[in-house]
Amino acid sequence: MPDSPAASFSAADTILMREALALAQQAVGLSDPNPRVGCVITAVDGRVIGRGHTQRVGAAHAEVMALQDAAASGGTVSGGTAYVSLEPCSHHGRTPPCCDALIAARLARVVVAVGDANPLVAGLGLARLRTAGIAVEVGLLADAARELNIGFFSRMERGRPWLRMKAAVSLDGRSALENGASQWITGEAARADGHAWRKRAGAVLTGVGTVLDDNPRLDVRLVATARQPLRVVVDSRLAMPPGARILDAPGTVLVYAAEPAAERVAALQARGAEVALVPGPGAKVDLRAMLQDLGRRGINELHVEAGSKLNGSFVREGLVDEWLVYMAPKLLGSGRSLADFGPLQTLADAVALRFHAVDRVGDDLRLLLRPASETAR
């Protein structure tokens, strides 16, 4: 749903919805697999009397948090307005329906940024509010609201997470030297920023080659977080040693394999990892089936930090939704590429991308790119 024309909403409406979106941002690294939602409630006279955002799974949603905040401040919500960054839920899940809480509060108006893609909600929450006599307006800053929950929409609409591929490269496109050395191409600011992107993901994925070469932890350490994302390893033949650091706490680990090997499975399970068999052609993990499985597990955003071979496999199968590339002002000459998926026969066969955002992070550039055509996915 696109943003509504500016004339449909007042300047005050826009300011208050931006505040709701800022509150929703505070749910990053907290609310998964639930969407990140923020809510602002104003009294009849327009004063803000309640604010809230989605909490952990099973805890209060944004609307309930805002109502509780209003009650704690002594504010009267009856006849007021709620600004919510996502359609209030209408079904009983781990918590009661949020639209029922808004109706019980006797609000006069609810402004919603974007409708919910969850088929259990999709339009039903809006309909219930309207049936109760509440004025409902939808579409204010919808694009920004959808962007904040891009993984949630991906899982609801496609059954799989939004795949974001992260890489650090030199100016000449090298992700490592020929001997595999890659620490550190980019600076400290870019590395901390990369951990912030890990934080917003439901899962961080790598390949067994990276585990064997770099022995990474792939947890979130450089920024504060309320939870650790699931760590995922693509390991077709279960070659990962039980002593790999990625198996250490905190957080849990899921290993996707193509070949059953009872002793190796048992060794990884003894370290607390789960092993899932998703066989594909050539005794490799079926990457598409893996993404569908991750969707069923509630993963909204999948953050990939892998080597050129696995990256190339994702590219060949057209599974990359977004590229997060940190480019350092360095020249490495010969070395490893970001993704091995060629050779191409003509320039027309190139993977066409578009710049979604370009920012400077410390001494490096952060490039956010997406397929030039939506049909590429």
Side-chain angles (χ1 to χ4, degrees):
M1 181 181 299
D3 287 353
S4 294
S8 299
F9 299 96
S10 69
D13 287 335
T14 301
I15 291 171
L16 291 165
M17 185 60 79
R18 289 195 188 283
E19 184 172 355
L21 287 167
L23 288 165
Q25 184 70 38
Q26 295 180 32
V28 170
L30 175 67
S31 66
D32 279 38
N34 290 336
R36 303 140 183 170
V37 184
C39 178
V40 173
I41 295 177
T42 61
V44 175
D45 60 5
R47 291 180 300 109
V48 174
I49 56 175
R51 298 175 174 88
H53 63 77
T54 314
Q55 302 298 301
R56 293 177 183 268
V57 170
H61 290 188
E63 298 91 331
V64 173
M65 292 295 293
L67 289 170
Q68 291 176 353
D69 185 46
S73 67
T76 300
V77 300
S78 180
T81 299
Y83 296 84
V84 192
S85 62
L86 186 72
E87 177 181 357
C89 64
S90 56
H91 66 296
H92 282 272
R94 296 182 179 90
T95 59
C98 291
C99 61
D100 287 358
L102 296 176
I103 293 169
R106 303 179 65 83
L107 290 164
R109 178 180 180 231
V110 175
V111 180
V112 177
V114 67
D116 195 332
N118 185 339
L120 296 175
V121 180
L124 298 178
L126 303 177
R128 187 177 295 186
L129 292 171
R130 288 175 173 136
T131 299
I134 296 175
V136 178
E137 299 171 51
V138 186
L140 177 59
L141 302 180
D143 292 341
R146 184 182 176 93
E147 189 72 25
L148 182 60
N149 283 300
I150 196 164
F152 177 77
F153 278 91
S154 174
R155 181 166 65 88
M156 290 296 115
E157 296 170 351
R158 304 187 298 173
R160 70 171 182 86
W162 178 265
L163 194 157
R164 180 178 296 113
M165 183 169 288
K166 180 261 183 182
V169 300
S170 62
L171 190 60
D172 48 354
R174 303 304 181 187
S175 63
L177 300 178
E178 287 188 345
N179 63 10
S182 61
Q183 297 180 336
W184 298 102
I185 291 176
T186 54
E188 291 184 6
R191 295 198 292 276
D193 191 71
H195 277 239
W197 285 90
R198 285 184 186 178
K199 171 183 175 177
R200 69 171 284 158
V204 178
L205 179 147
T206 194
V208 67
T210 298
V211 173
L212 296 174
D213 290 344
D214 299 338
N215 198 20
R217 292 163 59 181
L218 284 190
D219 56 356
V220 178
R221 303 183 304 280
L222 302 184
V223 296
T225 185
R227 61 158 181 85
Q228 288 291 336
L230 174 70
R231 287 171 290 175
V232 180
V233 181
V234 178
D235 186 3
S236 296
R237 296 176 177 81
L238 292 177
M240 181 168 60
R245 290 201 306 170
I246 199 170
L247 297 169
D248 295 340
T252 56
V253 178
L254 172 61
V255 182
Y256 283 102
E259 298 180 357
E263 291 185 4
R264 294 178 182 176
V265 169
L268 294 174
Q269 289 175 336
R271 287 294 316 276
E274 178 185 352
V275 178
L277 294 179
V278 188
K284 299 288 187 180
V285 169
D286 185 327
L287 297 180
R288 289 185 180 274
M290 179 191 72
L291 292 182
Q292 292 295 319
D293 184 63
L294 286 170
R296 288 189 291 270
R297 293 170 183 265
I299 301 302
N300 294 329
E301 295 182 23
L302 179 63
H303 180 95
V304 175
E305 293 191 27
S308 59
K309 291 183 179 180
L310 182 55
N311 285 352
S313 296
F314 280 118
V315 172
R316 275 194 301 273
E317 297 199 31
L319 298 175
V320 183
D321 296 306
E322 187 170 66
W323 295 82
L324 173 64
V325 180
Y326 296 91
M327 179 172 284
K330 299 176 181 176
L331 298 173
L332 299 186
S334 60
R336 299 186 182 180
S337 66
L338 187 156
D340 291 336
F341 60 91
L344 303 179
Q345 299 304 312
T346 69
L347 287 176
D349 296 328
V351 177
L353 305 175
R354 60 181 173 85
F355 288 108
H356 183 71
V358 179
D359 297 284
R360 184 166 176 171
V361 180
D363 294 329
D364 306 308
L365 287 181
R366 182 184 65 203
L367 313 176
L368 203 62
L369 306 105
R370 295 179 180 174
S373 171
E374 290 299 319
T375 60
R377 297 199 302 270

